[in-house]
Amino acid sequence: MLAEDPDTFLSDAQQYHRELLAHCYRMTGSLHDAEDLVQETYLRAWKSYARFEGRSSVRTWLHRIATNTCLTALEGRQRRPLPTGLGAPSSDPVAELVPRAEVPWLEPLPDDSDPSDIVGSRESVRLAFIAALQHLSPRQRAVLVLRDVLQWKAAEVAEAIGTSVPAVNSLLQRARAQLAAVGPSEESTLPAPDSPEAQELLTRYIAAFEEYDIDKLVTMFTEEAIWEMPPFVGWYQGGPAIGALIHHNCPAEKPGDMRLIPLTANGQSAAAMYMWDNDSGKHVPFQLHVLDIVDGAVAHVVAFLDNSDWAKFGLPESL
């Protein structure tokens, strides 16, 4: 039953906020942009509520508005990569770090306090999947997310984005092919962050950093493990290279200089790293690590240096 007025409708529609945020995040790769686009979606829905005929559910109607809001916002914008997505080979771990502040880097997504609230599966917000979506055109991205994540029918997608069913099927075919070339394989499903396997490894990972035992940390990585840390353009492969990078470039000098808080992001195991700051006499935000854990080892770490969103992860300003 429809609400009697737009304001009541908007209040009722807030129950879809989390899944609309996840949808806009999949489309844009940016938490900042997703939050703005969800607000724009609600504003557009409020303005056009009188024309809503109820032929679809409110949830479907809101996702349709959100999708078109995202497509409009993405016109002429650069994609949001990770360093591995720039096409350069792996970097020398002892070379100077090169930042690229002008690149609109991919951003991490805070998990809701209740993991069951993550829309779809964890795989649909996994960092590797979001990074792979960035290789698609906005319309390919929209079709693939609506069809394969939200499980819409081709006719529903065609109506939503104003095209034909054959065009939707063609966009989906190309999107799936491109995603298969750059995205995570089906065999690389990650354990849930609250699983004993993931929790045990994350505990050891945190302890190794806090003890400044980089040799122990190196043993936790898979042979082909990757480390990247936007806004620096380099990426590093293999435990020894990652260890050398940390030894050479990490500002920590002794046990206790780093403190880490376990959390989850993008449906994955994660940790917020705080670094000792002599000037303030506190540990201050440094990096947010999002981990791929595969077969009891760390296969990939994205260490985000932008800490402007830490409050949205429920993290304190200092320790």
Side-chain angles (χ1 to χ4, degrees):
M1 183 176 179
L2 297 180
E4 294 181 358
D5 63 83
D7 292 330
T8 303
F9 154 74
L10 270 186
S11 178
D12 293 342
Q14 287 300 317
Q15 64 183 297
Y16 304 111
H17 182 274
R18 175 64 192 178
E19 58 183 284
L20 289 170
L21 181 68
H23 181 62
C24 293
Y25 173 73
R26 293 186 195 100
M27 287 291 296
T28 64
S30 165
L31 175 61
H32 287 100
D33 289 352
E35 289 176 328
D36 291 343
L37 291 166
V38 170
Q39 294 308 311
E40 177 67 19
T41 295
Y42 278 125
L43 180 60
R44 291 189 182 189
W46 182 81
K47 288 180 175 178
S48 61
Y49 179 71
R51 299 193 299 275
F52 177 51
E53 300 174 351
R55 290 187 294 125
S56 65
S57 68
V58 170
R59 177 177 177 267
T60 297
W61 184 58
L62 288 170
H63 274 85
R64 182 183 300 138
I65 295 173
T67 300
N68 285 287
T69 302
C70 289
L71 288 173
T72 299
L74 288 168
E75 289 179 3
R77 286 199 190 180
Q78 292 177 265
R79 66 185 181 93
R80 287 184 172 270
L82 288 173
T84 47
L86 297 179
S90 59
S91 304
D92 180 352
V94 299
E96 183 179 355
L97 300 177
V98 180
R100 289 273 299 278
E102 74 279 9
V103 174
W105 297 105
L106 198 68
E107 298 172 0
L109 177 72
D111 283 351
D112 195 272
S113 56
D114 179 359
S116 66
D117 284 346
I118 298 175
V119 180
S121 68
R122 284 189 174 89
E123 299 302 310
S124 74
V125 291
R126 178 181 167 185
L127 205 53
F129 178 68
I130 302 301
L133 287 177
Q134 291 293 307
H135 290 270
L136 309 180
S137 72
R139 284 174 70 82
Q140 286 178 330
R141 213 177 298 170
V143 168
L144 186 130
V145 169
L146 292 173
R147 288 284 282 123
D148 288 357
V149 176
L150 298 184
Q151 301 294 308
W152 284 23
K153 297 176 181 177
E156 293 175 307
V157 177
E159 183 180 0
I161 65 172
T163 190
S164 65
V165 170
V168 165
N169 291 334
S170 176
L171 284 165
L172 181 62
Q173 184 179 16
R174 295 199 302 273
R176 284 174 174 168
Q178 195 157 349
L179 200 68
V182 299
S185 66
E186 294 182 1
E187 291 76 23
S188 62
T189 300
L190 307 182
D194 57 357
S195 68
E197 173 192 359
Q199 289 186 333
E200 187 273 338
L201 185 60
L202 184 62
T203 297
R204 290 194 291 117
Y205 180 88
I206 288 174
F209 271 111
E210 294 187 338
E211 295 163 7
Y212 198 59
D213 190 340
I214 307 306
D215 292 336
K216 182 187 294 183
L217 185 69
V218 166
T219 67
M220 298 180 197
F221 289 100
T222 64
E223 186 175 343
E224 299 297 321
I226 290 174
W227 178 286
E228 48 191 332
M229 47 184 185
F232 296 112
V233 296
W235 61 276
Y236 310 88
Q237 188 159 32
I242 294 169
L245 171 76
I246 296 169
H247 273 302
H248 189 76
N249 286 292
C250 181
E253 298 176 349
K254 61 186 184 302
D257 280 355
M258 294 177 280
R259 290 178 61 188
L260 287 82
I261 296 177
L263 68 150
T264 61
N266 293 81
Q268 299 173 226
S269 300
M273 176 185 285
Y274 290 74
M275 188 69 65
W276 177 254
D277 176 57
N278 284 322
D279 292 337
S280 65
K282 299 177 180 179
H283 286 84
V284 297
F286 184 62
Q287 290 178 336
L288 195 149
H289 296 194
V290 182
L291 284 66
D292 283 13
I293 294 174
V294 177
D295 296 330
V298 179
H300 198 148
V301 175
V302 183
F304 294 93
L305 275 84
D306 180 2
N307 49 51
S308 61
D309 281 333
W310 278 36
K312 295 171 184 175
F313 286 84
L315 293 165
E317 294 181 1
S318 62
L319 298 179

